[in-house]
Each structure stands twice: as structure tokens, then as C-alpha cells.
Amino acid sequence: MTKKSNQSRLYVPEPPFRPGDTPDYSHISVPADHSPPRPDPLCDDHETVEHATSLIRVLRFNGEAVGDWAPSLTADQKRKGLRDMMMTRAMDDRMFNMQRQGKMSFYMKSRGEEAVSVAHSMALRKDDMTFPTYRQQGILINRGASIKEMMCQCLSNAGDRLQGKSIPVLYSFRDFGFFSVSGNLGTQMIQAVGWGMAEAYKDSDGIASAFTGEGATAEGDFHYALNFASTYRAPVILNVVNNQWAISSFQGIAAGEGETFAARGSGFGLATLRVDGNDFLAVYAATEWAAERARKGGGATLIEHFTYRKEGHSTSDDPTKYRPENEPEVWPFGDPIDRLKTHLIQSGEWDEERHVAQEEECKVEIRQIYKEAEKMGTLSSATNVNDFTMFEQVYEELPGHLQAQIEAFKEEL
Amino acid sequence: MARMNMIEAIRDAMDIKMTQDSNVLVFGEDVGYFGGVFRATAGLQEKHGLHRCFDTPISEGGIVGIAIGMAANGLRPVAEIQFADYIYPGYDQIASEAARLRYRSNGEFSAPLTIRTPVGGGIYGGTTHSQSPEALFTHIAGLKTVIPSNPYDAKGMLITAIEDNDPVLFLEPKRLYNGPFYGDPHIPSVSWAKHELGEVPEGHYKVPFESVRKINEGSDLTILAYGTMVWVAEAAAKEAGVNADILDLRSLLPLDIEAISESVKKTGRCLILHEATRTSGFGAELSAQVAEACFFSLEAPIVRVTGWDTPYPHAQEWAYFPGPKRVMNGIRKVMGDS
Ligand SMILES: Cc1ncc(C[n+]2csc(CCOP(=O)(O)OP(=O)(O)O)c2C)c(N)n1
């Protein structure tokens, strides 16, 4: 930022475009093939300083995979990644529509960010604990959690493993390495560091991987996490998903205007990577690198996934009220599903017909699973969740005062 | 049996648990090599190793945050917050995370951690080393808040806390570390070595939380107190010449309301003491619960004796502290003598 006068004036950042503007992102350079080199995962953290300000990319828009970050994935693995992303999107679409029909209180989509969750998950071991936000449902789909159970959680019905205790998308799937998602932003980064420290203490080679949006990096917990991860060389990956928007606030409001979010890690002596989050292969490669570093004792890596939130924040907001309607289309990094699809077709491992068929298949499968889930109840009909379960799991054992409150509640019935 | 002050009793509890269970880790600011500013962890690093007892950054939110992650991952962390006055940066992690994790995951994850922290005044600590924030924690569903008043209870309750499968906030009345304190700073302090509650059994034993300790059996009135005020209550009742049921609550949440109401129904009078500020203090909760449970047995309005609704002052330490005089006034009031 250049200084305009010799007097301080309060500066309030504003996004480059608001509704009514014609968004033009030609000033954002999309690097074609000058990704920073891939250092040894156990390198000195200083060797990744450059990686915090550039962008790791593997996929060119023509589908070619280039550079030394290109991961060695089989065609089957890539096709699974593609399908998991498509399933995630199909599920998001279905659930969004069902929320609109009043079947659930709320929903949050991850459209445009599917590579971040699916490719990341694929590059981890299944027993590595992830501490996701509400936008990494792709991890569950990739790891094979029951989609029906996910849906039942959103519907808060009899099939909800959480028995209606949490709002939609705040899943908990311990057996799938998916930590209970908190509704309080940022809090889980530091918990993941503690989880990782415990893994190291137990001489296990398990690692933890935590997520935050770029907006919530402004919370103190983010700073705690970087600090503790560095101090104790915790085996963790700290992921910032920079999807440009935090509800209606652009990333500049979280001090993203002058510096990248990955660069936050350099001052703490963490390895730092900044990756094209719409590039499935690059997300996979960055995660694989950071996971190896953490597992082998090299400590934590901060990864910024540079991406774009293509839809509203949740079912509760209308994004056209704060950003141009066509901004998602003109955002210059494309769509993660399209880009992996192009790559697979270009390398002769996929074709347009199969893609269209798979799209339909995902839609049908999701519709069928949803039908089954809905049979167990919805918020608008009957959730079929026993009200008395609200008194359970406050503590391991029911204390006297809650027992008394159960009796009091019975009198209301 | 061994003679211990409260610090030694607390250290002994941690030492025993660390010896028994390799999942017990102890950490906090200056806790490792140095052994803590109150020496509660002295020697633990040397005995159990750097991995078991270590220093943390000055980051209360971070300390509680890693404790949650560790606890969820099978460890039994015992975190020290140097003074309760500095617990607020960790408040969100305690209130929104540690206390909620079991509930929001419907039991899939939990946070069996213990947070130890010194509370209360009487050491000229001023605004920032004297606070008693218990009421900010008893309002949190999913958390347990306990406070011992002597070495015997401190050791037994800390072992209970570490073994508890839910998060426990363990408040340590710092004025009691070296000996009982009867509220008058001009009387030379006695040490725990001279008091029977400084007799602490060796080895493992537990004091259950929901179990008030009766200090004196009386019929004139019931005095509810915890932490330092237990001792002030004892001295003031003696001086006032009343025969009081004095109950040391030990645990604020969960609360042994049965024992409390049994006593109040017997005496018909209830005096509530705490060092913390008055408005919305834990005394308000006690008062409400006693009124709900014992209203028709009460012969006089419930009386609260507390700190003033000001920050904890420095030079005016004893003007702030609810010492024997204020407690005696309270006794007279609840006895209908004034
Ligand atoms: C501590 C806290 N403050 C505020 C909120 C309300 N809130 C929910 S999501 C959100 C925006 C988060 O943006 P970002 O971190 O960028 O993540 P994204 O939604 O873009 O994935 C806000 C302000 C919250 N849930 N928790």
C-alpha cells in the first residue's frame, strides 16, 4: 500500500468489486508453470519462505500435469478423487434444496472447494485426525463415512448419531478421523496441535490436520496454534482455506490484502506452502509433502489453499447482496471438478460421456440415499429424536441437578 | 501419614497420578524446570522427565487448547493457569470447547482435563492476583468447578479431578497454601504443620466432589462457605458465640444440595460467604437454591457476606476482604440481633 499523504487516515479495506461492478481479475496472475520447486519434506523451514508467497500448481488449464510437484497417482485414484468431489457437490446441492423446502434448519455448501477437502483427505492416512470446519464434508465422503448418517445429522432425525445435539453439518465421525466440528470459529487449530503433541508423546506416527477459513485466522486461537505448533514441533498440518470470503467480508478484512495467509507461518519458523486450492493434484501434493514432514519429525506446515467460495456462505445469506453476481464465473482459477476432469480426459483416462453419466449417477445415488434418510424424520415433520436425550452427555454421569431437571421436564409433558 | 502444606499435597497428588498413569502430563507457564511460581510442580520434571512436566508459552488459550486436544486423544492433562486472574484468554476454550465437546459429539469425544489455578486474595496481589472468578465457571454446563480448603482435601480432590472423565476446574485458595487463614492479617499465621488437616495420608486416596464437609455441628444457623472463607467462618462463629453448622462445600458444581438443605432445614437460618464480588456471585445461586428447597423452614432471610462489587484493590486489601467483622455482622443479621 502506498502512502498517500503524510497524515494518518483511518483505512478500511474494501473488496475490488461490489454488486453492480464488472469484476475483472486480470490483475491476478495465474502462474502457468513456475511453481516453486519441491524441496525435501524435511528441509529447513526457511527453504519454504518463497512457497508462502507464490503458488504451487500442477494442473494447467489444458489438463496437463507439470512440474516436480505432480504427484504419482494412479488413474483409479484420480477417478476416485473426481467421483468423491462430484458426490460432495451432488450432496451439497440436494441438501441445499431440501433446506429450502424446510426439511432442515440450515445447510452449508462447499462448492468450488471440493478439491481442498477430498485431495487433502486422500493424501493423509485414514487414522490421521482431521479437525475440519463446516466446509470439509469432502473428507467424510472420501473416507467412506455413511452419507446417510451425514444426512440424518443434518435432518436431526432418528438416524442422527448426535441425537439432535448439533446443528447441520457440524459432524463428528471419530472412526473416520473427523473431529467433532465446533461452531466456534478458529478454536480447533490449537486443539489439533494438542492432538498432534499427544501422538508424538505416544511415539505414534499419527498426525493431525486442522482447518480454518481465512476470515477466522484473525482469531487469537490461530496465533496460539502457530506458536505451539512451532514450539513443540507438533506433527500437524495447519490449513487456511482462503476462499476469498468470510460471509460478506472479503479476505482483506482479515489482513489478507498485503500479505498471503501462508506467510503468517514464516515468522513462527513453520514450513509454509501456498497452493492452488482448485487444483486437485496440487492440493494432494502439498498435503503429501506436509504429512511426510510431520510424520518424520519435521514439525508443522501451514498450508494456504487459495480458492473461491462459489456460493453463499450458508443457506442464510444471499451473496449477490455483497459481491457481483458473476464473480464466481470470472474468478480466474476455474473449477476443481472441471480441471481434474480435463486432466483425466487429456491423459486418456476419462471421457465426456462417462463424466455426464457419472454426474447423473451421483445425483441419483444421492437422491436415493436422501430418501432413505428422510424416512427417519425431518425437522419440519417430526425429528423422532427423544427429547430426554438432551440431558445426556452433558457429563459422563448424570449429576443430581440434571436428574432433578429431568423430573421437572416430565411435569411439562 | 505425612505433614504437608497445601502446595505439597497438590504436588503429591500430581506425583502419584504421574507415577500411576503415563497419560498424565503436567504443564503451564514456568511449571517445568522451575516448578511453578507457587512451587506446586517443583521436582516433577526432574522425577518424571521433560515430556511429562513442561513449560508452555504465555498463552492461556493455547494451554487450554492443547489440553483439550491431548485429552480427546487419550491423555490426562493437568494444566496450570498461573493465576485465575489470567484465565480469561482461556475462557472460550473452557466454556465453548472443553465443556461442550462431549455434548456436541454425543459422547464420541470428551475432554477429561484438569485446570489448576490459584484464586482469592489475602496476599496483596491487587486487582490482578486476587480474583475469585468461580461464578463465571459454575454457569457453564459440562464443566465441574471445585475448591478445597485444606491439604487433605486438596490432595484427595485433585486425584478425583485427574481421574474424572469430564473437565474439572480446580481452584486453589492461595492464601491457604501455607496454613489456615482466619481472616485477620494481624494475627500471625499458623502453618499446616500445626493443624490436623495438614495430616495427609501417603499414597492414593480420593475425596468425592459432591460431599460437603461439616466443620462444626451446630443448631443456631448454617454457614455455607468454600475456600478461604471456610476458616473465616470458623473464627467468626467462635467469636460471635454462636453454635453454627459450618459447611465447606468443596464442590460448587456439582453441588451437594441435599446436605445443604438438610442443615438449613434443621437450623432455619442460612449465611452464605464468599470472597468474590457480590452481584451474580455464586452466593446468589446458593441463596436461590436454599430458598427453593428450604423456604418454609427459614426463620430469617438468607444473608450473604461477600467481597464488594469492585475490582480487588491493593492498599485496601483488608477493607475489601470479607473478614471476621463483616462475617460477624452477617451472623448477627441472620440471627435477628440487629
Ligand atoms: C468465534 C465465532 N465468531 C463468529 C462466528 C459467526 N460466523 C460463522 S462463519 C463466519 C465466517 C467465517 O469465514 P471464514 O473463516 O473465512 O470461513 P468460510 O466460511 O469462508 O469457510 C462467521 C463470522 C462464529 N461461528 N464463531
PDB file of all heavy atoms in Angstrom, chain A residues 108 113 133-135 183-185 212-217 219 241 243 245-247 309 313, ligand 1:
ATOM      1  N   MET A 108     -24.739 -25.770   4.666  1.00  0.00           N
ATOM      2  CA  MET A 108     -23.571 -25.056   4.130  1.00  0.00           C
ATOM      3  C   MET A 108     -22.931 -25.876   3.029  1.00  0.00           C
ATOM      4  O   MET A 108     -22.583 -27.036   3.230  1.00  0.00           O
ATOM      5  CB  MET A 108     -22.550 -24.805   5.240  1.00  0.00           C
ATOM      6  CG  MET A 108     -23.116 -23.949   6.356  1.00  0.00           C
ATOM      7  SD  MET A 108     -21.926 -23.699   7.660  1.00  0.00           S
ATOM      8  CE  MET A 108     -21.217 -22.147   7.153  1.00  0.00           C
ATOM      9  N   GLU A 113     -14.743 -25.703  -3.535  1.00  0.00           N
ATOM     10  CA  GLU A 113     -13.663 -26.028  -2.592  1.00  0.00           C
ATOM     11  C   GLU A 113     -13.528 -27.535  -2.381  1.00  0.00           C
ATOM     12  O   GLU A 113     -12.878 -27.980  -1.437  1.00  0.00           O
ATOM     13  CB  GLU A 113     -13.924 -25.350  -1.241  1.00  0.00           C
ATOM     14  CG  GLU A 113     -14.016 -23.841  -1.356  1.00  0.00           C
ATOM     15  CD  GLU A 113     -14.484 -23.172  -0.063  1.00  0.00           C
ATOM     16  OE1 GLU A 113     -14.013 -23.580   1.017  1.00  0.00           O
ATOM     17  OE2 GLU A 113     -15.318 -22.259  -0.132  1.00  0.00           O
ATOM     18  N   THR A 133     -13.523 -27.641   9.434  1.00  0.00           N
ATOM     19  CA  THR A 133     -14.609 -26.696   9.652  1.00  0.00           C
ATOM     20  C   THR A 133     -15.847 -27.301   9.010  1.00  0.00           C
ATOM     21  O   THR A 133     -15.855 -28.454   8.576  1.00  0.00           O
ATOM     22  CB  THR A 133     -14.344 -25.310   9.026  1.00  0.00           C
ATOM     23  OG1 THR A 133     -14.545 -25.396   7.611  1.00  0.00           O
ATOM     24  CG2 THR A 133     -12.936 -24.824   9.324  1.00  0.00           C
ATOM     25  N   TYR A 134     -16.864 -26.485   8.872  1.00  0.00           N
ATOM     26  CA  TYR A 134     -18.120 -26.929   8.277  1.00  0.00           C
ATOM     27  C   TYR A 134     -18.037 -27.054   6.756  1.00  0.00           C
ATOM     28  O   TYR A 134     -19.034 -27.321   6.109  1.00  0.00           O
ATOM     29  CB  TYR A 134     -19.225 -25.935   8.640  1.00  0.00           C
ATOM     30  CG  TYR A 134     -18.729 -24.496   8.552  1.00  0.00           C
ATOM     31  CD1 TYR A 134     -18.489 -23.902   7.320  1.00  0.00           C
ATOM     32  CD2 TYR A 134     -18.450 -23.758   9.691  1.00  0.00           C
ATOM     33  CE1 TYR A 134     -17.981 -22.625   7.212  1.00  0.00           C
ATOM     34  CE2 TYR A 134     -17.961 -22.457   9.598  1.00  0.00           C
ATOM     35  CZ  TYR A 134     -17.721 -21.899   8.358  1.00  0.00           C
ATOM     36  OH  TYR A 134     -17.211 -20.633   8.255  1.00  0.00           O
ATOM     37  N   ARG A 135     -16.854 -26.813   6.158  1.00  0.00           N
ATOM     38  CA  ARG A 135     -16.797 -26.861   4.695  1.00  0.00           C
ATOM     39  C   ARG A 135     -15.881 -27.971   4.180  1.00  0.00           C
ATOM     40  O   ARG A 135     -15.430 -27.934   3.041  1.00  0.00           O
ATOM     41  CB  ARG A 135     -16.358 -25.500   4.139  1.00  0.00           C
ATOM     42  CG  ARG A 135     -17.440 -24.870   3.291  1.00  0.00           C
ATOM     43  CD  ARG A 135     -17.001 -23.584   2.639  1.00  0.00           C
ATOM     44  NE  ARG A 135     -17.328 -22.415   3.406  1.00  0.00           N
ATOM     45  CZ  ARG A 135     -18.544 -21.891   3.530  1.00  0.00           C
ATOM     46  NH1 ARG A 135     -19.554 -22.446   2.901  1.00  0.00           N
ATOM     47  NH2 ARG A 135     -18.761 -20.819   4.252  1.00  0.00           N
ATOM     48  N   GLY A 183     -18.868 -25.035  16.366  1.00  0.00           N
ATOM     49  CA  GLY A 183     -19.478 -23.866  15.727  1.00  0.00           C
ATOM     50  C   GLY A 183     -18.705 -22.597  16.032  1.00  0.00           C
ATOM     51  O   GLY A 183     -18.966 -21.547  15.452  1.00  0.00           O
ATOM     52  N   ASN A 184     -17.747 -22.692  16.953  1.00  0.00           N
ATOM     53  CA  ASN A 184     -16.933 -21.522  17.300  1.00  0.00           C
ATOM     54  C   ASN A 184     -15.699 -21.511  16.417  1.00  0.00           C
ATOM     55  O   ASN A 184     -14.873 -22.418  16.481  1.00  0.00           O
ATOM     56  CB  ASN A 184     -16.510 -21.596  18.771  1.00  0.00           C
ATOM     57  CG  ASN A 184     -17.695 -21.472  19.699  1.00  0.00           C
ATOM     58  OD1 ASN A 184     -18.600 -22.297  19.660  1.00  0.00           O
ATOM     59  ND2 ASN A 184     -17.714 -20.440  20.490  1.00  0.00           N
ATOM     60  N   LEU A 185     -15.587 -20.485  15.627  1.00  0.00           N
ATOM     61  CA  LEU A 185     -14.519 -20.459  14.630  1.00  0.00           C
ATOM     62  C   LEU A 185     -13.135 -20.414  15.255  1.00  0.00           C
ATOM     63  O   LEU A 185     -12.923 -19.744  16.266  1.00  0.00           O
ATOM     64  CB  LEU A 185     -14.675 -19.230  13.734  1.00  0.00           C
ATOM     65  CG  LEU A 185     -15.916 -19.201  12.851  1.00  0.00           C
ATOM     66  CD1 LEU A 185     -16.006 -17.869  12.131  1.00  0.00           C
ATOM     67  CD2 LEU A 185     -15.892 -20.336  11.849  1.00  0.00           C
ATOM     68  N   THR A 212      -9.065 -23.893   8.989  1.00  0.00           N
ATOM     69  CA  THR A 212      -9.791 -22.659   9.305  1.00  0.00           C
ATOM     70  C   THR A 212     -10.037 -21.927   7.993  1.00  0.00           C
ATOM     71  O   THR A 212      -9.291 -22.106   7.031  1.00  0.00           O
ATOM     72  CB  THR A 212      -8.997 -21.749  10.260  1.00  0.00           C
ATOM     73  OG1 THR A 212      -9.713 -20.520  10.434  1.00  0.00           O
ATOM     74  CG2 THR A 212      -7.629 -21.397   9.703  1.00  0.00           C
ATOM     75  N   GLY A 213     -11.071 -21.117   7.982  1.00  0.00           N
ATOM     76  CA  GLY A 213     -11.226 -20.210   6.854  1.00  0.00           C
ATOM     77  C   GLY A 213     -10.264 -19.051   7.024  1.00  0.00           C
ATOM     78  O   GLY A 213      -9.743 -18.818   8.121  1.00  0.00           O
ATOM     79  N   GLU A 214     -10.012 -18.305   5.953  1.00  0.00           N
ATOM     80  CA  GLU A 214      -9.088 -17.172   6.082  1.00  0.00           C
ATOM     81  C   GLU A 214      -9.646 -16.121   7.039  1.00  0.00           C
ATOM     82  O   GLU A 214      -8.896 -15.473   7.759  1.00  0.00           O
ATOM     83  CB  GLU A 214      -8.752 -16.567   4.708  1.00  0.00           C
ATOM     84  CG  GLU A 214      -9.696 -15.472   4.183  1.00  0.00           C
ATOM     85  CD  GLU A 214     -11.075 -16.002   3.809  1.00  0.00           C
ATOM     86  OE1 GLU A 214     -11.208 -17.226   3.644  1.00  0.00           O
ATOM     87  OE2 GLU A 214     -12.016 -15.196   3.680  1.00  0.00           O
ATOM     88  N   GLY A 215     -10.968 -15.997   7.076  1.00  0.00           N
ATOM     89  CA  GLY A 215     -11.562 -14.994   7.957  1.00  0.00           C
ATOM     90  C   GLY A 215     -11.224 -15.255   9.411  1.00  0.00           C
ATOM     91  O   GLY A 215     -10.849 -14.339  10.152  1.00  0.00           O
ATOM     92  N   ALA A 216     -11.323 -16.510   9.824  1.00  0.00           N
ATOM     93  CA  ALA A 216     -11.119 -16.852  11.231  1.00  0.00           C
ATOM     94  C   ALA A 216      -9.647 -16.914  11.627  1.00  0.00           C
ATOM     95  O   ALA A 216      -9.333 -17.122  12.798  1.00  0.00           O
ATOM     96  CB  ALA A 216     -11.801 -18.181  11.561  1.00  0.00           C
ATOM     97  N   THR A 217      -8.727 -16.691  10.679  1.00  0.00           N
ATOM     98  CA  THR A 217      -7.324 -16.609  11.090  1.00  0.00           C
ATOM     99  C   THR A 217      -7.100 -15.394  11.977  1.00  0.00           C
ATOM    100  O   THR A 217      -6.080 -15.285  12.638  1.00  0.00           O
ATOM    101  CB  THR A 217      -6.352 -16.493   9.895  1.00  0.00           C
ATOM    102  OG1 THR A 217      -6.663 -15.296   9.174  1.00  0.00           O
ATOM    103  CG2 THR A 217      -6.458 -17.691   8.972  1.00  0.00           C
ATOM    104  N   GLU A 219      -8.699 -14.804  14.589  1.00  0.00           N
ATOM    105  CA  GLU A 219      -8.900 -15.185  15.987  1.00  0.00           C
ATOM    106  C   GLU A 219      -7.549 -15.478  16.653  1.00  0.00           C
ATOM    107  O   GLU A 219      -6.623 -15.978  16.012  1.00  0.00           O
ATOM    108  CB  GLU A 219      -9.774 -16.460  16.074  1.00  0.00           C
ATOM    109  CG  GLU A 219     -11.198 -16.287  15.575  1.00  0.00           C
ATOM    110  CD  GLU A 219     -12.094 -15.525  16.562  1.00  0.00           C
ATOM    111  OE1 GLU A 219     -11.617 -15.127  17.642  1.00  0.00           O
ATOM    112  OE2 GLU A 219     -13.284 -15.338  16.227  1.00  0.00           O
ATOM    113  N   VAL A 241      -8.052 -22.194   4.521  1.00  0.00           N
ATOM    114  CA  VAL A 241      -8.764 -22.227   3.248  1.00  0.00           C
ATOM    115  C   VAL A 241      -9.164 -20.800   2.902  1.00  0.00           C
ATOM    116  O   VAL A 241     -10.105 -20.247   3.472  1.00  0.00           O
ATOM    117  CB  VAL A 241      -9.998 -23.144   3.324  1.00  0.00           C
ATOM    118  CG1 VAL A 241     -10.683 -23.198   1.959  1.00  0.00           C
ATOM    119  CG2 VAL A 241      -9.609 -24.541   3.788  1.00  0.00           C
ATOM    120  N   ASN A 243     -10.913 -18.812   0.775  1.00  0.00           N
ATOM    121  CA  ASN A 243     -11.927 -18.841  -0.282  1.00  0.00           C
ATOM    122  C   ASN A 243     -12.424 -17.428  -0.588  1.00  0.00           C
ATOM    123  O   ASN A 243     -13.503 -17.238  -1.119  1.00  0.00           O
ATOM    124  CB  ASN A 243     -13.082 -19.785   0.091  1.00  0.00           C
ATOM    125  CG  ASN A 243     -13.834 -19.322   1.323  1.00  0.00           C
ATOM    126  OD1 ASN A 243     -13.621 -18.221   1.828  1.00  0.00           O
ATOM    127  ND2 ASN A 243     -14.733 -20.147   1.812  1.00  0.00           N
ATOM    128  N   TRP A 245     -13.857 -15.123   0.825  1.00  0.00           N
ATOM    129  CA  TRP A 245     -14.988 -14.513   1.513  1.00  0.00           C
ATOM    130  C   TRP A 245     -15.243 -15.141   2.874  1.00  0.00           C
ATOM    131  O   TRP A 245     -15.189 -16.361   3.028  1.00  0.00           O
ATOM    132  CB  TRP A 245     -16.270 -14.619   0.662  1.00  0.00           C
ATOM    133  CG  TRP A 245     -16.187 -13.763  -0.565  1.00  0.00           C
ATOM    134  CD1 TRP A 245     -15.772 -14.164  -1.802  1.00  0.00           C
ATOM    135  CD2 TRP A 245     -16.464 -12.361  -0.649  1.00  0.00           C
ATOM    136  NE1 TRP A 245     -15.774 -13.088  -2.662  1.00  0.00           N
ATOM    137  CE2 TRP A 245     -16.207 -11.970  -1.984  1.00  0.00           C
ATOM    138  CE3 TRP A 245     -16.908 -11.400   0.262  1.00  0.00           C
ATOM    139  CZ2 TRP A 245     -16.373 -10.649  -2.420  1.00  0.00           C
ATOM    140  CZ3 TRP A 245     -17.082 -10.090  -0.173  1.00  0.00           C
ATOM    141  CH2 TRP A 245     -16.812  -9.721  -1.497  1.00  0.00           C
ATOM    142  N   ALA A 246     -15.527 -14.291   3.852  1.00  0.00           N
ATOM    143  CA  ALA A 246     -15.989 -14.721   5.172  1.00  0.00           C
ATOM    144  C   ALA A 246     -17.375 -14.092   5.334  1.00  0.00           C
ATOM    145  O   ALA A 246     -17.484 -12.892   5.602  1.00  0.00           O
ATOM    146  CB  ALA A 246     -15.049 -14.230   6.265  1.00  0.00           C
ATOM    147  N   ILE A 247     -18.398 -14.897   5.127  1.00  0.00           N
ATOM    148  CA  ILE A 247     -19.753 -14.390   4.913  1.00  0.00           C
ATOM    149  C   ILE A 247     -19.652 -13.244   3.894  1.00  0.00           C
ATOM    150  O   ILE A 247     -19.318 -13.504   2.744  1.00  0.00           O
ATOM    151  CB  ILE A 247     -20.486 -13.981   6.213  1.00  0.00           C
ATOM    152  CG1 ILE A 247     -20.410 -15.125   7.256  1.00  0.00           C
ATOM    153  CG2 ILE A 247     -21.972 -13.680   5.904  1.00  0.00           C
ATOM    154  CD1 ILE A 247     -21.211 -14.878   8.534  1.00  0.00           C
ATOM    155  N   ARG A 309     -15.060 -19.314  -2.794  1.00  0.00           N
ATOM    156  CA  ARG A 309     -16.357 -19.848  -2.340  1.00  0.00           C
ATOM    157  C   ARG A 309     -17.411 -19.489  -3.380  1.00  0.00           C
ATOM    158  O   ARG A 309     -17.810 -18.340  -3.490  1.00  0.00           O
ATOM    159  CB  ARG A 309     -16.718 -19.237  -0.983  1.00  0.00           C
ATOM    160  CG  ARG A 309     -17.847 -19.953  -0.258  1.00  0.00           C
ATOM    161  CD  ARG A 309     -18.406 -19.112   0.868  1.00  0.00           C
ATOM    162  NE  ARG A 309     -19.276 -18.074   0.350  1.00  0.00           N
ATOM    163  CZ  ARG A 309     -19.453 -16.880   0.902  1.00  0.00           C
ATOM    164  NH1 ARG A 309     -18.812 -16.534   1.983  1.00  0.00           N
ATOM    165  NH2 ARG A 309     -20.280 -16.005   0.351  1.00  0.00           N
ATOM    166  N   HIS A 313     -22.483 -18.102   1.737  1.00  0.00           N
ATOM    167  CA  HIS A 313     -21.824 -18.657   2.912  1.00  0.00           C
ATOM    168  C   HIS A 313     -22.603 -19.868   3.430  1.00  0.00           C
ATOM    169  O   HIS A 313     -22.041 -20.900   3.748  1.00  0.00           O
ATOM    170  CB  HIS A 313     -21.736 -17.575   3.989  1.00  0.00           C
ATOM    171  CG  HIS A 313     -21.295 -18.081   5.319  1.00  0.00           C
ATOM    172  ND1 HIS A 313     -20.003 -18.481   5.559  1.00  0.00           N
ATOM    173  CD2 HIS A 313     -21.971 -18.259   6.489  1.00  0.00           C
ATOM    174  CE1 HIS A 313     -19.898 -18.875   6.820  1.00  0.00           C
ATOM    175  NE2 HIS A 313     -21.075 -18.762   7.407  1.00  0.00           N
TER     176      HIS A 313
HETATM  177  C1  LIG C   1     -15.996 -17.211  17.085  1.00  0.00           C
HETATM  178  C2  LIG C   1     -17.034 -17.031  16.012  1.00  0.00           C
HETATM  179  N1  LIG C   1     -17.315 -15.783  15.564  1.00  0.00           N
HETATM  180  C3  LIG C   1     -18.249 -15.615  14.609  1.00  0.00           C
HETATM  181  C4  LIG C   1     -18.951 -16.666  14.081  1.00  0.00           C
HETATM  182  C5  LIG C   1     -20.027 -16.449  13.004  1.00  0.00           C
HETATM  183  N2  LIG C   1     -19.514 -16.900  11.686  1.00  0.00           N
HETATM  184  C6  LIG C   1     -19.757 -18.128  11.236  1.00  0.00           C
HETATM  185  S1  LIG C   1     -18.981 -18.470   9.802  1.00  0.00           S
HETATM  186  C7  LIG C   1     -18.326 -16.912   9.706  1.00  0.00           C
HETATM  187  C8  LIG C   1     -17.409 -16.549   8.564  1.00  0.00           C
HETATM  188  C9  LIG C   1     -16.185 -17.403   8.528  1.00  0.00           C
HETATM  189  O1  LIG C   1     -15.395 -17.110   7.424  1.00  0.00           O
HETATM  190  P1  LIG C   1     -14.077 -17.903   7.080  1.00  0.00           P
HETATM  191  O2  LIG C   1     -13.280 -18.142   8.332  1.00  0.00           O
HETATM  192  O3  LIG C   1     -13.383 -17.207   6.003  1.00  0.00           O
HETATM  193  O4  LIG C   1     -14.577 -19.335   6.614  1.00  0.00           O
HETATM  194  P2  LIG C   1     -15.532 -19.702   5.379  1.00  0.00           P
HETATM  195  O5  LIG C   1     -16.951 -19.577   5.861  1.00  0.00           O
HETATM  196  O6  LIG C   1     -15.231 -18.770   4.279  1.00  0.00           O
HETATM  197  O7  LIG C   1     -15.237 -21.108   5.020  1.00  0.00           O
HETATM  198  C10 LIG C   1     -18.719 -16.156  10.815  1.00  0.00           C
HETATM  199  C11 LIG C   1     -18.336 -14.754  11.065  1.00  0.00           C
HETATM  200  C12 LIG C   1     -18.624 -17.952  14.598  1.00  0.00           C
HETATM  201  N3  LIG C   1     -19.247 -19.070  14.145  1.00  0.00           N
HETATM  202  N4  LIG C   1     -17.655 -18.107  15.544  1.00  0.00           N
END
